[in-house]
Every structure is written in structure tokens, then in C-alpha cells.
Amino acid sequence: EREGKRAVYIIDNVGLWILPANTVPSGTSVTLQCQVTVSHDNTAHLSHTFQLRRDEVLIYSITTTEDKVTFELNPSRAADSGSYECQVTVKEKSQKSHSQKLEVTGLQTPVLNLETNTLYEGNDFKATCRAPEEKGSLVFRFLRRYRNEEPQTMKTVPATGNSSETTLVLGQAGDYSLYCEYDITLVSGTRRSNHSNEEHVIVKGDSKVLTIKPVMNVLPSSNVYEGDLVEVVCRVEGAVKDVHIYLTKNKRILNETSSSILRHVFRAQEGDSGELVCKTEWRNVQKQNYYPFTLFSKPRLVLEPLELFEGDRMTLTCTVTVYVPERISQGTLQYTVYKNNVKITPSQSYITMAHPSNNGNYTCKAAANFRSHSFIKESQTVVPVLSVVNGTLILGKPFQLHCHSDNGTLPIKYTLQGPKGFVGFVMVTRPEQKAIFNCPPIYKSSDLNKFICHANNSPQRPVEFGLVSQLFQTTKIIEPVSQPVLTIHPHMGDASEGQDLTLNCSVQSGTPPITFSWYHTERGALTTQTSKKLEQSFHIRNIKESHKGGYYCRSDNDASHTKQSNTVTVKGGFLTWAGWKKGLVAFFCILLVLVLIIVVAFRKRLRQFKRKQTVELSV
């Protein structure tokens, strides 16, 4: 750069190339080449700062006078896959290349090593899974196959570098095959490796271990019904010290003891359907026994048809799938259907037409009697929650709806219908996933009540728990303001200088609070006021000639869509009219004074003249 003269330059182009190709197998040596072209006025030794990014993360930076740099990936691995971009900065100017995608295919097959291949039942051992040539975010998974059973995951462990070491336990005697695999997380998604080598493991039985398997007795031994007293006995046969017994149901511990026998008594009630598990533990070894039982089930409210549109005939049917024929016959069950907790029919089915007026929360109850026990079971609400994302809807703007049900087994298919028909569907397969729908704008608040959400988790059955839900109670609806109108009081010509002028700004529609602002075309903003009404006024005291000119107002609310009125002009003429009238009054006042002076002078001269004549006559 010559002294005293500013450097003149322009960045023409930044190019990025991936060699030998954009898709290569794992292990290939890859070169990324970035080159810049700069036009300048013979400025010597311009410095170029090169920044190379993968998926918007800086991976390499260098400042040099050279116009080209290279970056080596040798060897390249799956973790190097991504979208690359080169940015070059010359002094205060900067330019980016077009992005280039690199795809490195294939993952290294992991290697499994075990501390031992022969052990006793319940003993733990160390296992190591390695992928020494891989890099990135790795998660290793250890799996086992027992005899002809399906493989089961024993443990999932995040990697330390490119390997993972953990402790495993095989609790049952027999022959096993163990292997491992790993996942690598990339911006584009998760990839899974092939299986490692399989290691054959022999687990030998221990005579003490064989004797701790619990014996389980449940009374009554046949069916268990709601209201029955249930006694559960778990015991260990044989003299084994330090054994512990647990009784669980649905992963909840009901009772436990450190002796060789456990007794537990409870009365069966709603929600007790499930599986009783008697589990014994000795050192690191566990054994268990099971007893499943089922009670009179809750009814289920089923909607038909699956695809429901306004005007269609719909049927809600209340059914009980599990009951005891020898105690409760289907004919003695009494059904009731409710809408929003209000009884609508004392029957098993309810038939009506699909219409916004029929929106609501539908449930049903099934009642039965047996001996001294009576049963009343209520279905789960069949309506999923339908809500506007963030709770605010602006009329005339696109918005999002969230459809969600607290009940039902995944996967669940959510389908949304709107005022103009089908909007879309979302398949929810994970607990953290949400069914979010992008909806087109609506222009009337009443259209919000025309959205219907269906929820279905079985392709063989109609909707399990989905119909509609009103949104007005949970949604803040904002109507944008209409174009404001500016009026002036009093009208031009009726005001005098020194009087007051009122500028009234009003809108026909809009959700309060509304912000009104007044402007002068030359002086700019005058004032701003916020009101819960559809109009507001601004007063100018003691108007003068300087107040002439154009005025307009603007209105806005939480919809953030500002509207502006037409410009109203206040001319100077009506302001100078008052001065003209004052001048006219002053003219007449002066004229009156002059007339009075002339009259007085005339009368004085007249008296003098008469006096002179009188003197002459006397002479």
C-alpha cells in the first residue's frame, strides 16, 4: 500500500473445491482448496484471512498474502461429512464461497474384547468396544444373544475418545454370544456401524444361585376382581443366607423383606390390573417369578368414521373389553355418554352430525353390580388438547397449532382439519416429539372454532381418543387495526387565532390497547397515546399561523401492523381571517374617532362663527 494513498480493491470471487470428489469412502485423503480473486490498484501484499467452516463451525483459519490455501483431511472419516464454506476477509471487506457438501461413506467395524469368556452366574466382567480409526461423537452399545432368543441391549455407554470400557453381568447360566456396535451423531443425522466380532461366553450355574428362584402363590388363585382381598406369598426354598425378597407391580415396590418368606395382602381396586413380580436378590444375582391379573376394565369411547368433516354423521360408541361373564354379563352393563361432563344420553351409542356446535370433551361411564360390590368406570377423555403455539393468534397472519393427547400408546397419528378442509397430519413416534401444524391465516375469530384434531394410534381401529377442542379459552386473539381516519375540530374557517384545535384519530376495528400517534408533515412526530378505545384526540392550544400544514395519524396494536391515515391540510387562510377582522374593527374605530374629532371641530368653528355674527349685528 503506497504511503498517503488509500488502497482501492474489490473481492471478485471466492471459490471452494473438494478433491478428489464430494463423495468418498472412509479413509480417503481429501483436500479442501479455497481461492480468492481480488482486483486492486497495484496495492502490494494484500493480506487475506481465510476461514473454513463445516456446518457453520470454524475448523481452520489462516492469514496470508497468498490467494489460495489448502486443508487436508487425511484420512477422512464419517465425522468429516458436512457442508463446507470458505470465507475470505480483505481489510474491511468479506465474501463467502458457495457451500460444498462432503459425504464420507462407511464406518469402521468395531472390535470387542472381553476380560474373560468363562464365568459363574452373577459374576461381573469387563468389556471393551473400540473403533480406533473413527472420530466424532460416538456412543457404544453392548448386546447379547441367549440361545435362539432375539438380541438384547445390555448397556449403552458414551465413548471416551473412540472406545468404551464397561462392566457387564450375565445373570443366568447358559451359552451367550456378545457383540457391540456404535452410533455416530452428525448434523445430517445418526449413523450406525456394523456389528463387531461375536464373543462366545459360557456362564456356569452356581448351586446356591439355583436355589434362590422364588416360589409365588396368589390367593384367590383363579381370577382377581375389583373388591377382592388378594394375598401374595413369595418364598425361597432352601437355606440361603443374605437373600432379599421384593414384591413389585408395574415397577413399584409393594413390599420387601430380608427373610426367606414374604406375605402381602391388599384389596384389588381400579388401576391394579398388571403383573405382580416376586424378585429375589443374592449378591449380584437376581431371580424372579410373575403373576398377571386383570380387573374389570375402563370403558373406551370410540369415534366413527376416522376421517370426519363438517356435516358428516358421526357415532360415539362406549365399549368395555375386559369383564367377567360369570360375575357381570354384558347385558347388565349400564352405559352413559357425557359431553363436557354433562349427561347427553343413557345409552351405549350417541349419533349426531359433525358441526362446530358439537365440539367438546366426550366421555362415557359403564356401571355394573355384583353381590355387594358395584362398579362405575369412566373412560378417558377422547379429546386431545388443541392449542395455538405461544397462545397468541393474529388475524390475517399464519400461525401454528399444537395437537396433543396425554393418553395413548405411541406411535400416534394426529390429523388436523381446518375451515377449508384438510391441513395435514403428523406422526408422533417419540415422547419428546410434538404434533405442530402450520396453518394458513384466518380472518374471523369464529373460524378458529372450525379446526378439528383427530388422534389415532391403531390402523385397525377408529380414532381412540381424538375429536375436537375449542381454542377460545386458551388463545389470545388479536385483530389488527383498520386504517385510521383523522378529523379536525372545529372545521377550517370556524376557528380564530388563539383558539384550540382538536385532531381526532379513530379506527373502525382492532383489539385494544391501541397506540395512536400524530405527525406533522414538516415537524415530524407530535405525540403518542395508548388507549383502550377505538379513538383518541390530540389538542393544540392557542393556534397560530405556524400551525398550518399537513397532519396525519398512525394506529397500531399487538398485531404490530401499523396503519396510517390520509393527510389533512390546515391552511393559513383561516388563521389570517381573524387578523383581518381585527384590522377591520380597528379601522372603524379610528374612523369613528376621526369623525368625532371632525364633528367637535366643526361644532367649535360653528359656535365661533355665530359669535362673530352676533357682534357684527350689534355694531
Side-chain angles (χ1 to χ4, degrees):
E1 186 174 327
R2 295 188 295 272
E3 185 177 355
K5 184 177 180 180
R6 182 176 63 87
V8 180
Y9 65 94
I10 184 173
I11 301 176
D12 298 318
N13 182 58
V14 177
L16 177 64
W17 296 268
I18 297 178
L19 303 173
N22 289 76
T23 302
V24 297
S26 180
T28 304
S29 178
V30 175
T31 300
L32 284 79
Q33 187 178 93
C34 184
Q35 186 168 6
V36 62
T37 303
V38 180
S39 297
H40 55 82
D41 60 344
N42 295 322
T43 301
H45 309 300
L46 276 176
S47 294
H48 313 112
T49 299
F50 292 84
Q51 291 182 319
L52 192 65
R53 290 179 171 85
R54 178 180 63 240
D55 297 322
E56 299 184 357
V57 177
L58 182 65
I59 60 171
Y60 179 70
S61 179
I62 187 173
T63 301
T64 177
T65 57
E66 301 293 329
D67 63 354
K68 180 173 66 176
V69 297
T70 58
F71 181 72
E72 300 287 338
L73 299 171
N74 187 20
S76 62
R77 298 298 178 193
D80 295 318
S81 299
S83 181
Y84 286 82
E85 185 180 70
C86 181
Q87 180 176 350
V88 179
T89 302
V90 181
K91 295 185 179 295
E92 71 275 7
K93 296 182 179 180
S94 181
Q95 187 169 321
K96 295 179 180 179
S97 69
H98 293 296
S99 62
Q100 295 284 342
K101 187 175 181 180
L102 173 63
E103 182 78 12
V104 181
T105 61
L107 291 172
Q108 181 191 6
T109 299
V111 178
L112 176 65
N113 295 111
L114 303 180
E115 180 183 25
T116 180
N117 292 74
T118 303
L119 60 149
Y120 286 100
E121 184 178 3
N123 289 349
D124 55 26
F125 60 97
K126 291 183 180 180
T128 304
C129 191
R130 298 181 296 112
E133 297 178 3
E134 290 297 340
K135 57 185 177 181
S137 178
L138 306 180
V139 177
F140 286 89
R141 186 179 295 102
F142 295 85
L143 303 100
R144 67 173 176 85
R145 183 185 295 109
Y146 179 66
R147 295 177 181 173
N148 296 324
E149 296 178 357
E150 289 294 319
Q152 293 185 356
T153 299
M154 300 179 67
K155 190 177 287 188
T156 301
V157 184
T160 302
N162 49 21
S163 66
S164 181
E165 181 181 287
T166 188
T167 301
L168 303 176
V169 176
L170 294 170
Q172 185 176 355
D175 293 347
Y176 294 85
S177 291
L178 271 63
Y179 61 91
C180 68
E181 60 189 19
Y182 63 90
D183 292 338
I184 181 169
T185 302
L186 307 174
V187 173
S188 59
T190 301
R191 298 186 192 178
R192 178 164 295 178
S193 71
N194 294 326
H195 294 171
S196 71
N197 54 298
E198 290 199 9
E199 291 288 330
H200 184 66
V201 178
I202 299 175
V203 179
K204 298 180 180 180
D206 189 316
S207 59
K208 289 185 178 181
V209 171
L210 297 176
T211 61
I212 71 166
K213 185 168 183 178
V215 177
M216 190 175 187
N217 298 104
V218 177
L219 297 175
S221 58
S222 55
N223 293 318
V224 179
Y225 310 113
E226 188 170 343
D228 288 348
L229 279 176
V230 180
E231 181 180 11
V232 183
V233 178
C234 296
R235 68 179 185 275
V236 175
E237 296 181 343
V240 181
K241 294 182 179 181
D242 302 325
V243 67
H244 213 94
I245 304 176
Y246 300 89
L247 178 65
T248 67
K249 183 176 72 67
N250 300 332
K251 297 183 179 180
R252 177 174 172 265
I253 296 177
L254 303 178
N255 206 341
E256 56 87 23
T257 182
S258 57
S259 64
S260 60
I261 186 169
L262 179 148
R263 286 188 174 88
H264 182 72
V265 179
F266 65 96
R267 186 176 295 278
Q269 57 186 355
E270 181 179 333
D272 278 342
S273 293
E275 190 172 57
L276 290 170
V277 180
C278 186
K279 182 179 293 187
T280 56
E281 184 179 58
W282 177 72
R283 297 182 182 175
N284 292 326
V285 183
Q286 291 184 357
K287 295 291 182 179
Q288 52 194 14
N289 213 336
Y290 307 89
Y291 181 86
F293 68 99
T294 307
L295 302 177
F296 172 54
S297 71
K298 283 188 175 183
R300 180 168 59 241
L301 192 59
V302 179
L303 170 70
E304 293 180 306
L306 175 61
E307 297 296 337
L308 189 64
F309 301 92
E310 185 173 348
D312 288 352
R313 174 189 174 100
M314 72 175 192
T315 302
L316 287 163
T317 305
C318 189
T319 61
V320 173
T321 57
V322 179
Y323 63 97
V324 187
E326 57 267 29
R327 291 196 176 191
I328 304 170
S329 66
Q330 182 69 264
T332 63
L333 291 173
Q334 297 177 351
Y335 297 95
T336 308
V337 180
Y338 296 82
K339 174 188 174 184
N340 299 328
N341 296 322
V342 177
K343 179 180 176 180
I344 56 176
T345 180
S347 62
Q348 188 174 2
S349 297
Y350 175 68
I351 301 174
T352 187
M353 303 294 290
H355 188 271
S357 62
N358 290 326
N359 292 354
N361 298 327
Y362 289 83
T363 57
C364 74
K365 290 182 180 180
N369 293 283
F370 174 74
R371 295 180 183 175
S372 60
H373 301 303
S374 62
F375 307 93
I376 299 178
K377 297 299 184 78
E378 184 175 1
S379 71
Q380 293 174 327
T381 301
V382 300
V383 183
V385 177
L386 191 60
S387 59
V388 173
V389 175
N390 298 325
T392 300
L393 184 148
I394 299 175
L395 296 180
K397 291 187 178 182
F399 62 100
Q400 290 184 317
L401 283 178
H402 175 210
C403 191
H404 170 69
S405 176
D406 292 326
N407 309 308
T409 304
L410 298 176
I412 299 175
K413 180 182 178 181
Y414 293 93
T415 305
L416 185 68
Q417 305 285 343
K420 297 183 179 180
F422 177 77
V423 176
F425 73 89
V426 176
M427 184 67 74
V428 174
T429 59
R430 303 185 308 274
E432 69 275 8
Q433 187 180 357
K434 294 182 178 180
I436 303 294
F437 296 90
N438 295 315
C439 301
I442 61 174
Y443 299 90
K444 296 184 297 182
S445 299
S446 58
D447 284 345
L448 190 61
N449 200 35
K450 297 180 181 179
F451 284 90
I452 301 174
C453 179
H454 304 271
N456 181 30
N457 67 346
S458 173
Q460 290 79 30
R461 295 197 303 269
V463 176
E464 291 274 353
F465 40 81
L467 188 55
V468 299
S469 178
Q470 296 194 20
L471 296 167
F472 288 106
Q473 296 179 353
T474 60
T475 304
K476 178 183 179 182
I477 300 177
I478 299 175
E479 181 182 7
V481 294
S482 60
Q483 183 177 4
V485 176
L486 181 65
T487 55
I488 296 179
H489 301 283
H491 296 295
M492 292 181 296
D494 295 334
S496 300
E497 184 175 355
Q499 292 184 342
D500 296 340
L501 189 68
T502 300
L503 305 176
N504 186 70
C505 189
S506 62
V507 294
Q508 292 295 320
S509 59
T511 301
I514 300 175
T515 300
F516 295 95
S517 301
W518 288 263
Y519 298 83
H520 190 278
T521 53
E522 295 180 2
R523 298 202 299 270
L526 300 176
T527 187
T528 297
Q529 299 178 24
T530 300
S531 173
K532 293 183 179 180
K533 300 180 180 180
L534 297 180
E535 64 177 352
Q536 195 68 16
S537 297
F538 169 56
H539 303 281
I540 300 177
R541 308 295 182 185
N542 190 23
I543 58 175
K544 301 176 182 178
E545 176 73 14
S546 59
H547 289 124
K548 69 179 180 179
Y551 291 86
Y552 62 92
C553 68
R554 290 176 178 172
S555 59
D556 194 7
N557 62 0
D558 289 340
S560 300
H561 193 170
T562 304
K563 298 288 184 65
Q564 181 174 317
S565 73
N566 293 326
T567 300
V568 177
T569 302
V570 177
K571 298 180 180 179
F574 90 97
L575 294 173
T576 58
W577 168 250
W580 185 85
K581 289 193 292 183
K582 289 182 179 180
L584 185 63
V585 171
F587 171 77
F588 279 109
C589 289
I590 295 173
L591 182 62
L592 180 60
V593 171
L594 290 175
V595 170
L596 290 174
I597 293 174
I598 292 172
V599 170
V600 170
F602 176 76
R603 293 180 66 181
K604 183 177 180 181
R605 293 291 301 271
L606 182 61
R607 286 195 299 272
Q608 291 176 352
F609 178 76
K610 288 181 177 181
R611 191 179 299 116
K612 184 177 178 181
Q613 281 186 337
T614 303
V615 172
E616 290 178 351
L617 288 174
S618 59
V619 172

